[in-house]
Amino acid sequence: GTVIPIAYDYMVGGNGVTSTRRKALMRVDPGDEIVIEIVDYDRDETVDRDKLDFQIQLNTEEPISLIATETDINSGTFTRKVLTSADTQQVGGPEEEITIKVSEGDQVFLLYTDRQNTFPGHSVPRRSVVYVNEPTDGQIRLLESRVTLPPEGSESGPQISYALPPEGQQVAGVALKAPLTIEVIDPDAAKDSESRVIVAVTTSSGTTVNVECVISSAHATFQGVTSVANEALEQGRFVGQLLMQLGGPDSPPVVPIAGDMPRGLIGRVRLADSLEDEEPTENINLVTRVLHLTGKDIINSSYQDDRRADNKPAQIDSRGRLLSSAQLSLTDREYEKSIEQLHVGERLYVMVTDADQDVTDDRDMIDITISSEKGELETVQLSETTILSGIFTGSFELKAEAEPT
């Protein structure tokens, strides 16, 4: 058997019917309710809704005995609601409505004796805990990302990896083809598994995207966590992702979702221009809002932490910038196929792909060095193929010379 705290979201549909959504509970504020859920199929003993006994305990105080009732006939799931208050304590009999008085930093333990089980095979106490919320100082950071391209000719897709920025590094390096990944750690905002926080992502060019970050353990290594099932919820870890494209403030902020875009992003990108604007509902699964930027832009992610230990709300930030690995290739005149041999008199066609060298709203230029075994050494320029493409090309004639010039 198991005993866990849960809560419900109450939603009203378009037809006026109210439905509930179950969610895992970790923290409460005084005035919130705690729903204790016990799953123990051994205790479904009759054709009616059965009952079982359990206890709750506030910190180290004397435990309070209560009765939980089966949710339905033969369900094996038992629930009981307990109210919390900042100033009222009302405890009656095991089946009467109760209210417990709690304060910031308190712990409410849920205690259940599992009499029959397969592991460890004898009567064993089961326990969960609900924390009474207290202000915590939030943290935010952008995860560094790297994209490893498959070998030429392979049908595999690129491999994306994430890592925390090195200690002391102020600006995280992020890859254009990887989703920008934001991590927020703020336990007092993580009350249940459906908790969310908003992060505003802006560039130094002026583009802005708002991202809803959700409870997630993706790309994380946890330490000191007692609840394996809810490690992200216990630590108060939120993650959100969004797509990036080369562009500027005048680029269309909402674009169609293309086949080569990463899917299954964590969290949700808000399509509206600001948090005050109503979210559009049409074509919501066909379009997305992207962060337009250039290679010179600094990305700033901001989180408004309203509850802090010093009782002073603060905006906390984390910064990043594009960091791409250049790809250089010698190609045919159409810049489509790679080549390995050329003859004197032919033209050398060079193509470089490097997103972080796109630094303006015009066609940019980059320098490359060409050398030969005979000592020829030339520095030449490549031109960006189009505005904001990040692809640079150029061609040069191969001449026969006795000595380097």
Side-chain angles (χ1 to χ4, degrees), residues 117-348:
N117 52 76
T118 56
F119 182 81
H122 55 77
S123 179
V124 63
R126 307 291 189 187
R127 189 176 83 158
S128 291
V129 63
V130 179
Y131 301 101
V132 180
N133 227 346
E134 58 183 341
T136 58
D137 291 346
Q139 305 171 49
I140 185 172
R141 53 192 172 188
L142 294 176
L143 299 189
E144 294 204 324
S145 57
R146 298 290 182 271
V147 175
T148 304
L149 298 177
E152 188 174 348
S154 172
E155 296 183 357
S156 301
Q159 299 295 315
I160 299 176
S161 58
Y162 298 94
L164 294 176
E167 189 72 26
Q169 180 173 307
Q170 300 299 316
V171 181
V174 297
L176 181 67
K177 293 185 178 296
L180 182 67
T181 302
I182 309 153
E183 177 192 70
V184 175
I185 307 291
D186 194 7
D188 65 45
K191 295 177 65 175
D192 56 61
S193 56
E194 294 298 321
S195 295
R196 283 166 164 72
V197 297
I198 298 291
V199 171
V201 182
T202 60
T203 68
S204 47
S205 295
T207 58
T208 301
V209 177
N210 292 305
V211 184
E212 283 188 14
C213 300
V214 299
I215 298 292
S216 175
S217 59
H219 317 302
T221 301
F222 292 100
Q223 296 180 349
V225 175
T226 59
S227 172
V228 175
N230 294 320
E231 63 265 20
L233 182 55
E234 182 168 346
Q235 192 181 80
R237 183 178 188 266
F238 300 83
V239 176
Q241 292 183 314
L242 73 155
L243 301 178
M244 298 181 290
Q245 288 186 356
L246 292 176
D250 296 330
S251 301
V254 178
V255 301
I257 297 177
D260 59 348
M261 288 182 174
R263 303 297 178 93
L265 300 185
I266 303 169
R268 186 173 76 90
V269 177
R270 293 183 61 90
L271 297 179
D273 291 332
S274 69
L275 296 177
E276 290 73 27
D277 296 333
E278 186 175 347
E279 283 287 273
T281 56
E282 295 182 359
N283 302 323
I284 194 170
N285 295 320
L286 302 177
V287 297
T288 187
R289 194 178 186 97
V290 298
L291 182 71
H292 288 290
L293 74 168
T294 63
K296 68 177 182 180
D297 276 324
I298 295 296
I299 306 165
N300 191 72
S301 56
S302 302
Y303 168 60
Q304 181 64 31
D305 187 7
D306 291 327
R307 297 183 64 180
R308 297 176 64 83
D310 59 5
N311 293 318
K312 297 179 180 179
Q315 177 181 293
I316 55 177
D317 305 279
S318 180
R319 298 189 301 162
R321 67 173 302 161
L322 279 185
L323 185 64
S324 63
S325 298
Q327 295 175 269
L328 184 149
S329 55
L330 307 180
T331 71
D332 58 11
R333 61 185 302 169
E334 284 79 27
Y335 298 101
E336 293 179 351
K337 297 180 181 179
S338 296
I339 62 171
E340 296 182 356
Q341 293 183 340
L342 284 172
H343 298 93
V344 173
E346 294 182 331
R347 295 189 71 83
L348 175 68

